[in-house]
């Protein structure tokens, strides 16, 4: 159920409704909006009696939720969520650029790339310390040593660190060294990991599973939100299809589809979405033109020697040029009045 508070409801009235919900053994999720506050209720196995809450002071209406999602939807929060990562944000007017290598390989490599990322004006640095590799014999990442290199990058450049947690223990580590937890495509339905991320104070970047429907992906975000973490950014990274000219097929339609249902920001990852260096720039521009809130891009100082995903890594000069292009394109997008859609 969803409780919509009156526009003039006081903080005390909102607090009282939340306390009443929690006292009934349910969980209240208070989501303030520009116009009004809505309170989502989770934790019930059977339908809740609407009358219990409808008459509380400050309540405008209590609505039974019939959709599979309760918290990620625009029903509870009309305006888009802006995810705050320290003093940077994703989902506002600025185009968020999250860039860096696939994997942290060494201090020298990481700093060479971070230097270019910082100069480009991007606010976020990505790099895996724990890599989910198809083969157990492939480079698995530097582990905690990689995280401490990322923490040094944060210190040196003020970049926000986005890095993957493969398991619950990994979340503990990212909380110690990073700024944003990445949950990868292969783990999109790792429910204990989603729940753990939902109990974190850090925002979460949730990549789409490589065979996930939109509904499954949004329900994965719902798992995180249901635990009380509302700071989630979705990332479309392509899905498996019969196509052989790309590593994955980037689903740009996910952008308007997500927007229609959810208030959460959405990024495009043209690197994993294509798997090919020469395609990344075109697909990054397409993502921005389609209205993505940002991009996740893999770049490397020596792509030919990259230990992971070398075929898709941009050379640093390619990356720098691309950022100039997408920022210019994003400015054009801001000036355009969106065409009304049904
Ligand atoms: C990555 O971002 O390096 C990664 C492993 O991505 P995905 O989970 O989308 O495959
Ligand atoms: Mn990668």
């Amino acid at each position: 159920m969803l409780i919509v508070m009156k526009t003039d409801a006081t903080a005390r009235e909102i607090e009282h409704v939340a306390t009443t919900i929690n006292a009934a053994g349910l969980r209240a999720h208070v989501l303030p909006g520009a116009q009004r506050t809505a309170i989502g209720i989770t934790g019930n196995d059977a339908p809740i009696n609407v009358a219990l809450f409808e008459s509380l002071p400050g309540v405008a209406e209590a609505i039974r939720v019939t959709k599979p999602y309760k918290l990620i939807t625009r029903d509870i929060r009309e305006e888009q969520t802006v995810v705050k990562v320290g003093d940077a944000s994703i989902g506002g007017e600025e185009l968020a650029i999250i860039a860096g290598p696939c994997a942290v390989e060494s201090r020298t490599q990481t700093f060479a790339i971070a230097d270019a990322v910082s100069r480009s004006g991007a606010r976020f640095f990505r790099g895996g310390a724990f890599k989910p590799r198809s083969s157990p014999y492939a480079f698995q990442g530097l582990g905690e040593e990689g995280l401490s290199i990322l923490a040094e990058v944060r210190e040196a450049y003020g970049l926000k660190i986005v890095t993957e947690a493969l398991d619950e223990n990994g979340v503990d580590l990212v909380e110690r060294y990073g700024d944003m937890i990445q949950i990868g495509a292969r783990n999109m339905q790792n429910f204990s990991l989603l729940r753990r991320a939902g109990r974190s104070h850090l925002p979460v970047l949730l990549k789409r599973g490589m065979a996930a429907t939109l509904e499954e992906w949004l329900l994965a975000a719902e798992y995180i939100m249901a635990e009380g973490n509302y700071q989630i950014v979705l990332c479309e990274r392509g899905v498996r299809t019969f196509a052989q000219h790309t590593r994955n097929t980037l689903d740009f339609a996910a952008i308007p589809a997500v927007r229609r249902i959810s208030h959460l920001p959405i990024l495009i990852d043209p690197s994993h979405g294509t798997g090919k260096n020469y395609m990344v720039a075109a697909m990054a521009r397409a993502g921005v033109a389609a209205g993505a809130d940002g991009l996740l891009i893999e770049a490397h100082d020596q792509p030919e020697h990259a230990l992971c995903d070398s075929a898709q890594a941009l050379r640093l000069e390619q990356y720098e040029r691309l950022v100039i292009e997408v920022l210019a394109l994003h400015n054009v997008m801001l000036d355009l009045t969106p065409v009304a859609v049904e």
Side-chain angles (χ1 to χ4, degrees), residues 50-110:
V50 172
L52 283 179
F53 303 102
E54 233 166 19
S55 53
L56 293 175
V59 171
E61 56 178 331
I63 305 165
R64 188 151 285 143
V65 179
T66 50
K67 296 183 184 134
Y69 338 93
K70 296 184 181 197
L71 303 173
I72 59 101
T73 64
R74 288 201 181 270
D75 298 338
I76 192 160
R77 198 183 146 84
E78 275 170 40
E79 64 271 28
Q80 165 139 349
T81 287
V82 178
V83 170
K84 295 261 179 241
V85 190
D87 62 354
S89 59
I90 305 176
E93 281 221 332
E94 228 175 273
L95 184 75
I97 309 279
I98 303 178
C102 181
V104 174
E105 298 168 13
S106 70
R107 196 174 178 283
T108 314
Q109 167 248 18
T110 308

Side-chain angles (χ1 to χ4, degrees), residues 102 126 131 272 298 308-309 312:
C102 181
R126 62 144 291 144
K131 294 305 303 177
H272 297 87
E298 287 190 349
C308 187
D309 288 351
Q312 68 198 33

Side-chain angles (χ1 to χ4, degrees), residues 17 144 146 186 203 220 271 336:
V17 173
E144 193 162 354
R186 290 154 192 82
S271 301
L336 291 175

Side-chain angles (χ1 to χ4, degrees), residues 33 63-64 82 112-113 124-125 134-135 162 183 192 230 235 238-239 242 251 262-263 273 289 292 299 307 328 342:
I63 305 165
R64 188 151 285 143
V82 178
I113 303 165
F124 301 89
F125 186 73
S134 299
S135 164
V162 182
I183 295 188
S192 50
Y230 310 130
C235 179
V239 289
F242 51 81
D251 176 13
S262 179
H263 51 82
L307 297 179
E342 277 308 300

